[in-house]
Amino acid sequence: MSLTITRLKSLKPKAKPYKVTDGRGLYIEITPSGSKLWRFRYRLGKSQKKICIGSFPEISLAEARDIAFEAKRKVARGDDPALEKRKQKIRNEYLAANTFETVAREYIEEMMVKGGLAQATIVKANYFLEQLAPAIGNRPLADIEPFEVLAPLKRLEGLGKHETAKKTRSFAGRVFRYGVATTRCTTDPTSLLKGALRAPRPTHYAAIVDPKKLGGLLRAIDDFDGYILTKYALQIAPHVFVRPGELRHADWDEFDLDEGIWRIPAGKMKARRAHAVPLSRQVVTLMEELGAQMGMEGYVFPSTRSRRRPMSENALNAAFRRMGYSKEEITAHGLRATASSLLNESGIWSPDAIERALAHGDSDAVRGIYHRGRHWDERVKMAQWWSDHLDELKAKGRNIEAKKRSVHC
């Protein structure tokens, strides 16, 4: 006899489990605890099998019959509902263990930390993950749709953080592509978001391009009475004009002072290509002085708190403010624009050599020996000329000041 709602509700527990059939393989099992569990029994070949559908009243009588009917159709096609259910359970567990945050942290560890990328790059990756985690961190990677990624990106955009939104989307894309490569998902939904964010305005870093004012800056740096490592970083930065992050993360092992070369590994460069910086006599002297005072191990410019960490990201800019220069006048990154402008204005050096010195568009593969690339000889001469030129600009102001003092005397 088929079951009814009234009969289902009247079924009472007994000392041992017992079954009441509904027909066509569907039955309900009542346990001693009072639970009422739907089961579907079927035969596949010579094997007698069963699957658990769920409990009553969470699964109603009508729903249980529909599920049993669909299972019966699968059996008629030769499929095994129990096997499919086990596969689905494994898949669900697999997806639950492969959320966006789980895969993202694995990507950071495997591809970035073990790949030897700069600590600053890894810190930024974790920051991008923090922006995405509230929205999609707990979502299975394979189930995430484009609109879910777009929501946190639009939130950043709404805060005016256009560049952060763009870089966060790029990070998410790398995680999804890593997921595809490791069979955790099949597509990168961020590929459909191109054009969905407003393009960030290009950042222009404040820079001094007037030679007289540059001389004044160099004299102010020499007179700086702050932390000794900060002063040396300020003195060296105008001569080498690398990015501030590359200077802060400089390691003594990267320098060959006898040969006059600073070899920066690919992991520390913005374009992920190794770069070599020719060192003038002035820079070598400053490096030797610094090494004699502070030692030549680990970071060249370590943090004041720990030699195992690089100098603070804001250390140089804070020093400029202390010296009386506003953020509209000069920034650490602006020293690159200073060098680029004045080197180009000199008319002595080829634009290609200047661009290569700035590590712009450097597409050459690393050849094992960093300093045998194009324009190297010209760059060596240019580095020395630039340092000599900086010394001249610095000295002119001092000579004028000395003459003024002698006249007043």
Short mmCIF file of all heavy atoms in Angstrom, two decimals, residues 227 229 301-312:
data_model
loop_
_atom_site.label_atom_id
_atom_site.label_comp_id
_atom_site.label_asym_id
_atom_site.label_seq_id
_atom_site.Cartn_x
_atom_site.Cartn_y
_atom_site.Cartn_z
N TYR A 227 68.97 59.24 9.97
CA TYR A 227 69.54 57.91 10.09
C TYR A 227 70.58 57.68 9.00
O TYR A 227 70.35 58.00 7.82
CB TYR A 227 68.42 56.88 9.99
CG TYR A 227 68.84 55.45 10.19
CD1 TYR A 227 69.66 55.07 11.24
CD2 TYR A 227 68.38 54.46 9.31
CE1 TYR A 227 70.03 53.75 11.40
CE2 TYR A 227 68.74 53.14 9.47
CZ TYR A 227 69.57 52.79 10.52
OH TYR A 227 69.94 51.47 10.69
N LEU A 229 71.75 55.10 7.33
CA LEU A 229 71.42 54.29 6.16
C LEU A 229 70.51 55.05 5.21
O LEU A 229 70.62 54.93 3.98
CB LEU A 229 70.74 52.99 6.60
CG LEU A 229 71.69 51.89 7.11
CD1 LEU A 229 70.90 50.73 7.69
CD2 LEU A 229 72.59 51.40 5.99
N PHE A 301 70.27 48.25 2.59
CA PHE A 301 69.53 49.25 3.36
C PHE A 301 68.43 48.57 4.19
O PHE A 301 67.25 48.60 3.83
CB PHE A 301 68.90 50.28 2.41
CG PHE A 301 69.89 50.93 1.48
CD1 PHE A 301 69.92 50.60 0.13
CD2 PHE A 301 70.81 51.85 1.96
CE1 PHE A 301 70.84 51.19 -0.73
CE2 PHE A 301 71.74 52.45 1.11
CZ PHE A 301 71.76 52.11 -0.23
N PRO A 302 68.83 47.92 5.28
CA PRO A 302 67.84 47.20 6.09
C PRO A 302 66.96 48.14 6.91
O PRO A 302 67.26 49.33 7.07
CB PRO A 302 68.72 46.34 7.01
CG PRO A 302 69.99 47.12 7.15
CD PRO A 302 70.19 47.79 5.81
N SER A 303 65.91 47.57 7.43
CA SER A 303 64.99 48.31 8.30
C SER A 303 65.69 48.67 9.61
O SER A 303 66.63 47.99 10.04
CB SER A 303 63.76 47.45 8.60
OG SER A 303 63.02 47.97 9.67
N THR A 304 65.23 49.73 10.24
CA THR A 304 65.79 50.11 11.54
C THR A 304 65.42 49.09 12.61
O THR A 304 66.07 49.01 13.65
CB THR A 304 65.27 51.50 11.97
OG1 THR A 304 63.83 51.47 11.97
CG2 THR A 304 65.75 52.57 11.02
N ARG A 305 64.37 48.30 12.35
CA ARG A 305 63.90 47.32 13.33
C ARG A 305 64.55 45.96 13.20
O ARG A 305 64.74 45.25 14.17
CB ARG A 305 62.38 47.18 13.22
CG ARG A 305 61.61 48.46 13.51
CD ARG A 305 60.12 48.24 13.40
NE ARG A 305 59.37 49.46 13.68
CZ ARG A 305 58.05 49.54 13.64
NH1 ARG A 305 57.33 48.47 13.32
NH2 ARG A 305 57.44 50.69 13.92
N SER A 306 64.87 45.57 11.96
CA SER A 306 65.45 44.24 11.75
C SER A 306 66.26 44.24 10.46
O SER A 306 65.79 44.72 9.43
CB SER A 306 64.34 43.19 11.66
OG SER A 306 64.86 41.94 11.23
N ARG A 307 67.47 43.67 10.52
CA ARG A 307 68.30 43.59 9.33
C ARG A 307 67.77 42.57 8.34
O ARG A 307 68.23 42.50 7.21
CB ARG A 307 69.74 43.24 9.72
CG ARG A 307 70.45 44.35 10.48
CD ARG A 307 71.96 44.08 10.55
NE ARG A 307 72.58 44.10 9.24
CZ ARG A 307 73.02 45.18 8.62
NH1 ARG A 307 72.89 46.38 9.20
NH2 ARG A 307 73.58 45.11 7.43
N ARG A 308 66.79 41.78 8.75
CA ARG A 308 66.21 40.78 7.85
C ARG A 308 65.09 41.37 7.01
O ARG A 308 64.50 40.67 6.18
CB ARG A 308 65.70 39.58 8.65
CG ARG A 308 66.82 38.75 9.26
CD ARG A 308 66.29 37.56 10.00
NE ARG A 308 65.53 37.95 11.19
CZ ARG A 308 64.95 37.08 12.02
NH1 ARG A 308 65.04 35.79 11.78
NH2 ARG A 308 64.30 37.52 13.08
N ARG A 309 64.76 42.63 7.24
CA ARG A 309 63.72 43.30 6.46
C ARG A 309 64.31 44.53 5.78
O ARG A 309 65.23 45.16 6.31
CB ARG A 309 62.57 43.71 7.37
CG ARG A 309 61.81 42.55 7.96
CD ARG A 309 60.89 43.01 9.08
NE ARG A 309 60.01 44.09 8.68
CZ ARG A 309 59.24 44.77 9.52
NH1 ARG A 309 59.27 44.48 10.81
NH2 ARG A 309 58.46 45.73 9.08
N PRO A 310 63.80 44.91 4.61
CA PRO A 310 64.34 46.09 3.92
C PRO A 310 63.84 47.38 4.56
O PRO A 310 62.90 47.38 5.36
CB PRO A 310 63.80 45.95 2.50
CG PRO A 310 62.50 45.22 2.69
CD PRO A 310 62.74 44.25 3.82
N MET A 311 64.47 48.45 4.19
CA MET A 311 64.07 49.78 4.64
C MET A 311 62.60 50.03 4.33
O MET A 311 62.06 49.51 3.35
CB MET A 311 64.96 50.80 3.91
CG MET A 311 64.63 52.25 4.17
SD MET A 311 65.74 53.32 3.20
CE MET A 311 67.27 53.12 4.10
N SER A 312 61.96 50.84 5.16
CA SER A 312 60.55 51.17 4.97
C SER A 312 60.30 51.78 3.60
O SER A 312 61.12 52.53 3.07
CB SER A 312 60.09 52.14 6.06
OG SER A 312 58.87 52.74 5.73
#
